[in-house]
Amino acid sequence: MELKPITIGSVRTENNVFLAPLAGYTNYPFRRLCERSGAGLAFTEMVSAKGLKYGSENTKALLYTTPEESPVAVQIFGSEPDIMRAACESEELSPFPIADINMGCPVPKIYKNGEGSALLENPALAEKIVSECAKSGKAVTVKFRVGVSEDKLIAAEFARRMEEAGAALLTVHGRTRDKYYSGEVNYREIAAAKNAVRIPVIANGGVFSEADADELLEKTGADGVMIARAALYDPQIFCDFTGRPREEKRQMIERQIKETRQVFDERFTTVFMRKMVAFYVKGMRGAAGWKERLFACPDPDSLLALVEEIFSE
């Protein structure tokens, strides 16, 4: 695919291949790993605007960043426009020039709360949220799905309304809410959203290779792609797009463990990196046995020792 910068408010990205916000995964060290591989923009994990209002320590922990990470976008969720705007204007979000509004999360707890993909069924409220957040001075973007179900496809009209409310960029996940993260990507609906607006549109869904990205852009006319699950299995997938050299996998993992350890405590580092290395060994000979041993590692040092064993074979 053709790499090109994307302008989002005052931010100009290096390229148009973005890392998706992934709950439970896109913490600072993981984002930095993907950025070193060439991701043009990375997003934090989904952050609760209400959690920020009430000073949740867990919420604040999701927002760790440093000046080295630039540009970076924060993704927030909620359904109350005043609280969403207050979040955008908060000190905690001051390092982030871009605020992405989650209007696609399909998880029942979020949906039943009127947040995430539930906003697809309440476009007037979605507009109000975007217009209020835009008053914060941040560039506001919106990530949404093409509908809640196949009989309620709303991509074009929803895109128009988000643009009119003040969104600077849209990311369209080409699946409906009821399909979660599986099933065919609806290219037609992403294309309809792209054709309905003047602002940049990023296509999301089913990108596991450069060939997938080429097909997605060809069939939708989108301005760029967003990579999600593929980055969990291979954070260096962005190298395939940018031409940057890949690190040897063992070296990459050791660096990720070290950087995660610098930001988080030993317990978090152990639990998180056990999950990550389990992704990295998928498809390897003896993967099931390696995973069993991975999840028995009690601390980062034992995990490092096992990584050395796995990747020295």
Side-chain angles (χ1 to χ4, degrees):
M1 63 174 280
E2 178 188 356
L3 294 183
K4 62 180 182 180
I6 300 288
T7 299
I8 311 169
S10 62
V11 173
R12 186 173 173 84
T13 69
E14 183 176 338
N15 63 54
N16 53 341
V17 185
F18 295 173
L19 171 66
L22 295 166
Y25 294 102
T26 50
N27 55 43
Y28 174 76
F30 183 73
R31 296 195 305 268
R32 290 292 290 151
L33 169 54
C34 294
E35 288 165 350
R36 282 194 295 269
S37 299
L41 181 65
F43 294 74
T44 69
E45 299 178 55
M46 188 172 69
V47 172
S48 166
K50 194 169 284 186
L52 276 173
K53 177 180 178 179
Y54 294 110
S56 164
E57 291 303 316
N58 288 339
T59 296
K60 291 179 181 178
L62 301 174
L63 297 172
Y64 183 89
T65 185
T66 73
E68 294 178 7
E69 186 180 24
S70 181
V72 61
V74 60
Q75 189 185 68
I76 60 174
F77 74 96
S79 60
E80 298 167 81
D82 57 333
I83 293 178
M84 295 287 278
R85 177 179 174 179
C88 289
E89 294 174 340
S90 67
E91 182 180 350
E92 289 85 357
L93 297 198
S94 60
F96 304 96
I98 301 168
D100 185 64
I101 312 299
N102 183 305
M103 298 190 186
C105 180
V107 175
K109 180 180 177 181
I110 302 292
Y111 179 79
K112 291 175 182 177
N113 228 21
E115 301 165 336
S117 58
L119 290 166
L120 299 173
E121 299 179 288
N122 194 345
L125 177 58
E127 283 182 307
K128 183 65 173 173
I129 289 170
V130 171
S131 64
E132 284 297 307
C133 289
K135 293 174 185 175
S136 70
K138 291 189 186 296
V140 175
T141 64
V142 179
K143 187 171 188 288
F144 68 95
R145 289 173 177 258
V146 296
V148 294
S149 59
E150 287 297 326
D151 60 341
K152 295 179 180 178
L153 299 174
I154 47 78
E157 178 61 21
F158 198 82
R160 274 193 294 268
R161 296 182 73 156
M162 296 306 97
E163 180 182 41
E164 289 169 2
L169 173 142
L170 304 173
T171 300
V172 186
H173 184 160
R175 297 186 180 95
T176 51
R177 184 254 168 183
D178 57 355
K179 289 184 178 175
Y180 282 66
Y181 305 103
S182 62
E184 295 296 316
V185 172
N186 191 322
Y187 300 116
R188 181 177 53 79
E189 282 293 299
I190 299 176
K194 169 59 184 172
N195 292 332
V197 298
R198 299 177 299 279
I199 57 176
V201 171
I202 304 298
N204 174 222
V207 178
F208 287 87
S209 67
E210 193 172 5
D212 292 335
D214 288 338
E215 182 180 17
L216 188 57
L217 293 181
E218 180 183 347
K219 292 183 175 179
T220 65
D223 299 287
V225 297
M226 181 175 280
I227 295 177
R229 285 173 297 153
L232 297 178
Y233 294 100
D234 179 16
Q236 296 188 96
I237 187 174
F238 298 96
C239 294
D240 299 343
F241 293 84
T242 62
R244 295 188 186 185
R246 283 176 173 260
E247 273 188 295
E248 188 268 329
K249 187 175 280 190
R250 173 181 156 188
Q251 182 182 357
M252 178 200 82
I253 298 169
E254 289 173 345
R255 185 205 293 251
Q256 190 182 5
I257 293 173
K258 177 184 175 182
E259 293 183 350
T260 303
R261 209 171 185 174
Q262 289 171 345
V263 175
F264 301 102
D265 63 27
E266 298 284 282
R267 176 61 181 163
F268 178 91
T269 299
T270 303
V271 172
F272 178 74
M273 287 306 306
R274 287 189 308 209
K275 290 192 301 182
M276 294 309 307
V277 180
F279 280 119
Y280 303 153
V281 301
K282 183 177 173 63
M284 290 179 60
R285 181 171 56 87
W290 291 129
K291 287 181 182 179
E292 185 175 345
R293 291 181 62 188
L294 277 169
F295 285 102
C297 287
D299 54 52
D301 290 330
S302 60
L303 191 55
L304 279 165
L306 184 56
V307 166
E308 181 177 358
E309 182 180 348
I310 294 171
F311 293 98
S312 63
E313 285 201 342

